[in-house]
Amino acid sequence: MTKRTSKIIIFSAAAAALLAGGYFYYYSKFVSGPSVEDTPIKDKNVSIDHQELFHNDTKIAFIGSSVTEGTGASKPDKRWTEQFTAVLQEEYPGLESKNFGVDGYSTRNIIEGITDEVVQYKPSFIIFETAALNDFSRLDLQTTLENIATIMETFESELPETHVIIQPSNQRRNGESYTNNGITYPEYVKETESHIKENGWKYIDFWPYFNETYENTNITVSDTLNVDGIHPNDLGNKLWAEALLDYFSGNSLQASGNEEK
C-alpha cells in the first residue's frame, strides 16, 4: 500500500467519523421522542390567577441552559418556553417573551454572558432555570450556590421591580447513577432548592408534576427525554409548560406545598 493510498484511507475514515458524529449531534439535538399526540396527556384550558405578574405589557425573560434554549424540541413552537408564552398570549395578546437560554451554559456562563443582556431587556418577569444539568457535571455545589446568589443579587440591584422565579433543570435519565463529590443529580437539585428558599427567593419545583404523570400513565422519564437521556423531547417540553401553567393557575404544584416564598 502506497503512502498516498494510506493517506486517502485515513482521510476517508476521518471524514466518515466526522459525518457520523455530526449526524449523531444533530439527531440528539433536534429529533424528538414519543409523539405528544400519542400520549394520554390532554391539553388544558388554564385560567391564570397571577394578575400581578401577567398583563398585556408583561415582558418575560427566560434564562438558563440548553433545556431553556430548546435543545431536544423538534421545532421552536414545541419548546416549553414557546408553549407557555402562547397560552398566556391567548389571555394577554400584548404579552411578549424573549429566550436567553444558551446551549452548554452553566451558572458561571449565565453570569458572564446573559445577565447584562437580561438587564438591558428590562423584563417585568424572569423565569430562571438554574442550569443544574451543566453545573452538576462541572461545578461543585458551593460554587453553584454562590453563582445563583450573584445572579439574584444582580437582578435585585438592577431590576428591583422585576419578579424573578427560579426553577431547576429537568430530570434526567439515570440521574441516580452519577455523582458530583458523592452527591447525585437529584440531591444536587434538592440542595440548590433549599439554598434558594432559605434566601427567600421564589422557587417552582415542577418535578412533582412529572412524577404524578409517571404514576398515572405508562409514561416514564425516558419517554420525556431525547435520545441523549438529558434534553426534553416534545413530550418533555409539553409537560414542562403544563407544569408551569398548573402552578400559575393555582393547581397541583401549589397544592403540594411548592408555593412562592
Side-chain angles (χ1 to χ4, degrees):
M1 183 182 296
T2 66
K3 290 184 177 179
R4 179 179 176 79
T5 302
S6 298
K7 288 180 180 179
I8 291 173
I9 292 173
I10 292 171
F11 177 79
S12 298
L18 183 62
L19 287 171
Y23 174 80
F24 178 78
Y25 175 77
Y26 178 86
Y27 186 79
S28 64
K29 185 175 175 67
F30 296 111
V31 176
S32 182
S35 169
V36 174
E37 289 74 22
D38 293 335
T39 72
I41 305 301
K42 305 298 182 182
D43 289 328
K44 297 185 175 184
N45 294 318
V46 178
S47 176
I48 304 299
D49 289 344
H50 290 246
Q51 301 292 333
E52 76 279 8
L53 295 180
F54 305 117
H55 34 78
N56 273 316
D57 58 354
T58 294
K59 292 173 66 176
I60 303 175
F62 299 105
I63 71 172
S65 63
S66 59
V67 296
T68 292
E69 179 191 43
T71 298
S74 62
K75 52 185 180 178
D77 64 5
K78 296 293 187 181
R79 299 168 181 166
W80 66 265
T81 54
E82 296 289 330
Q83 296 186 69
F84 179 71
T85 300
V87 171
L88 293 176
Q89 287 174 335
E90 292 176 5
E91 192 165 346
Y92 309 106
L95 177 145
E96 67 174 75
S97 68
K98 187 170 182 179
N99 193 329
F100 291 90
V102 180
D103 191 1
Y105 264 28
S106 65
T107 50
R108 178 178 297 154
N109 299 132
I110 290 173
I111 293 170
E112 298 169 349
I114 294 180
T115 51
D116 286 346
E117 290 185 35
V118 173
V119 169
Q120 291 173 15
Y121 180 59
K122 296 182 179 179
S124 51
F125 181 42
I126 294 172
I127 295 183
F128 165 28
E129 175 251 315
T130 61
L133 285 163
N134 292 325
D135 274 36
F136 176 70
S137 61
R138 303 178 198 171
L139 307 175
D140 62 82
L141 178 62
Q142 187 57 39
T143 299
T144 292
L145 302 185
E146 292 171 359
N147 288 345
I148 290 173
T150 297
I151 292 166
M152 291 301 295
E153 287 164 5
T154 297
F155 291 151
E156 289 171 344
S157 172
E158 301 295 329
L159 300 168
E161 302 301 317
T162 298
H163 297 274
V164 183
I165 293 184
I166 309 173
Q167 62 176 345
S169 303
N170 55 283
Q171 295 165 310
R172 58 170 291 167
R173 189 170 64 224
N174 302 325
E176 300 281 0
S177 301
Y178 304 97
T179 62
N180 177 328
N181 295 320
I183 301 176
T184 65
Y185 176 63
E187 291 170 341
Y188 198 95
V189 170
K190 185 56 67 175
E191 289 292 331
T192 303
E193 175 184 352
S194 297
H195 173 74
I196 292 166
K197 289 182 174 179
E198 285 170 4
N199 280 276
W201 299 316
K202 297 173 183 176
Y203 185 84
I204 297 177
D205 178 12
F206 60 86
W207 285 21
Y209 189 91
F210 278 68
N211 292 333
E212 183 179 332
T213 299
Y214 305 146
E215 292 173 5
N216 297 331
T217 69
N218 59 355
I219 293 171
T220 66
V221 174
S222 295
D223 292 330
T224 67
L225 300 173
N226 207 359
V227 293
D228 60 9
I230 297 174
H231 298 94
N233 56 28
D234 284 356
L235 175 58
N237 275 276
K238 184 177 190 293
L239 290 174
W240 194 333
E242 283 186 359
L244 295 185
L245 291 166
D246 222 46
Y247 173 82
F248 288 112
S249 62
N251 292 326
S252 63
L253 292 183
Q254 285 188 326
S256 64
N258 296 294
E259 301 180 86
E260 296 179 27
K261 300 293 182 181

